[in-house]
Amino acid sequence: MSAITSYLKSLALLELLGGMRVTIGYFFKPKFTIMYPEEKTPKSNRFRGLLALRRYPNGEERCIACKLCEAVCPALAITIDSEQRDDGTRRTTRFDIDLFKCIFCGFCEESCPVDSIVGTDVHEYHMEERSESVITKPQLLALGDRLEQQLAADRQQDAPYR
Amino acid sequence: MMDHLMALGWILIKILAITIPLILAVAFLTLAERRVIGAMQVRIGPNRVGPWGLFQPFADVIKLLMKEVILPAKSNRFLFVLAPMLTLIPALVAWAVIPFEEGMVLAQIDAGLLYVLALTSVGVYGVIIAGWASNSKYAFLGAMRSAAQIVSYEIAMGFALVGVLVAAGSLNLTEIVLGQQGGIWNWYFIPLFPLFIIYFISGVAETNRAPFDVAEGESEIVAGFHVEYSGAAFALFFLGEYANMILISLLAALMFMGGWLSPLEAVPGIEGTFLAAPSIVWLLLKTMFFLFLFLWFRATFPRYRYDQIMRLGWKVFIPITIVWILVVALFVVKQWLWWAP
Amino acid sequence: MEQLIPQIVFYTFSLAMVLSAIAVITVRNPVYAALFLILAFVTCACIWMLLEAEFLAITLVLVYVGAVMVLFLFVVMMLDINMDLVQQRFARYLPVSLLVAVIMLIEMLMVVAAKNFTVELFPMPAPHPLGYSNTEALGELLYTKYLFAFEVAAVILVVAIIAAITLTLRKRPNTRHQDPSKQVQVKKEDRLRVVKVETDTEYGKHT
């Protein structure tokens, strides 16, 4: 008996029609899709995007060439050369980040004793030549200068948890 | 001499009048597929190229045509190039006997139904030859699966069509449609309901569409018979598959849903208005409904396992169709029909 | 002009058919041979079309090209035929094959001899009136005059199918196989048992 009813049920395609009812229901539902370049989802203040170097409010660069970030970088993306400046402080002469190697893990930011190297929330960037993948110290500082307000606000917001 | 050339030219114009809208329909069907499946997955789908993404198919076509056609080093060059053509040509040639309205048909032949059936079965060669000529195991496996599947489902489909021809008493597609005149209850999908369902499901299997797309099986055999194809050659396979989908839908509309006849034909009060008049618009609307079903199936059902496909074809569909042909034949012989003209 | 076009068409298709038929038995690659056979069938269907036998022509394409040759190709493509071995055996089987060939040739000559195909015996068929359906005519003939022969042929074919299946179907006890008809009958209740597990640790009681 149960065999006959199950045959009749499968011949009536009830399960298939049930499935089709589900999909047609979703067909008319409002869509979740975000129209990307025009609409964007909010980003966390801890977002780790393109790296940048910050300065103190008086314009002095923060980096003291301790090379902790170079040491901690798991992808070996950071290359630093340093030298003593005329005023006796140690400063970097070269601070290169290879974006092809960088995995955006944020270890450099964690290791930095002076909050110099930071992850910005920039994740939309491109390069047109392979050589452009290495960004140099002036570029990193310029990016930091441009986003300083946002960077400072993000660090401020995160300060209680650090 | 001049007469012959004129006649030839006229036929060529008619052929173009069928194929160009068909190819455009294929183009927009690909877009519709992505939009419909997107909507069923709560996404939007392509909407960037042109208004509502309407130019997306052209962007895709241009991309495919610009790409390189790669000939695998160990493939059989001649057959490799021949295969996409063998898929596309039967898919297009079958349209010669399709009537779009009374008298609006390229070739009015009596055995129209058989002709369509023969050409859809020839289409399988493109797939088999593509699989063999590619000299790739995935392509070959896909071709074998597809060949076995198409041959099995052709039988069920053929029997479903036999039911239609018993009911209509003709193999001519125009006469089959005209036999359904007189209101929606005269359409063959009511007396032939099981055959109608089986015809459409077999049609889905014939065109290798989901949930019967084991011939492509992305997750098991990469893309089946057309793994090695790229660029324009791949585009031809695509065109053939979608043209076949439209053909199956149009045939379902012609044979079971009254073709170009209006569903409101016998509704009192509107006789003589455009709503009750037979028109190509009705045929296109019905075709679109079936095409939507194709997309709806693809968005809903997971892929069938191969042995279950074979079981469904041989052990379920063929017995049901044979029984129902007998039932229909009994109805016709005993004159119990309410749908007879 | 009226005569010329059908003649051109006829000779084109005849030539293609004869050439492809020769190719079937001369090409080395079995897949090519099968494909040439398909070409021969299709051209043959076109010639039948010229004879106004459209039902037979389309059925030839439908049955032979659409189904039988697909299975042929299916098998031929799967086989890895060693041509050397085939050629070695050629000499061994030559006497037997020659005998068979000669017998078949004599039989064919008896039927297809020139005296059986004179113009007197086969005059140009009268053109059919409009609306003549060759499908209907064929059906009527098959189901009235030749009903017995038709049914006998059907029975022989069924017997052949059953014989082929019984010869090849071996039920090997140690092979494992699935039975889809049983698998689709399975319900959740047959397989799944929800068990209430008592949790006695301090940690478990919280959850």
Side-chain angles (χ1 to χ4, degrees), chain A residues 43-63:
Chain A
K43 265 181 281 191
S44 160
N45 61 318
R46 294 177 179 180
F47 190 88
R48 301 191 298 261
L50 208 55
L51 294 170
L53 288 174
R54 289 175 73 195
R55 291 177 198 272
Y56 289 112
N58 65 5
E60 179 61 88
E61 59 183 281
R62 286 180 184 238
C63 184

Side-chain angles (χ1 to χ4, degrees), chain C residues 5 11 43 53 71-72 91 97 102 108 113 128 132 152 159 166 173 177-178:
Chain C
I5 291 175
Y11 282 112
T43 43
L71 298 179
F72 252 73
S97 54
V102 166
M108 278 162 87
H128 297 299
Y132 168 84
V152 167
V159 169
T166 34
H177 54 85
Q178 298 161 323

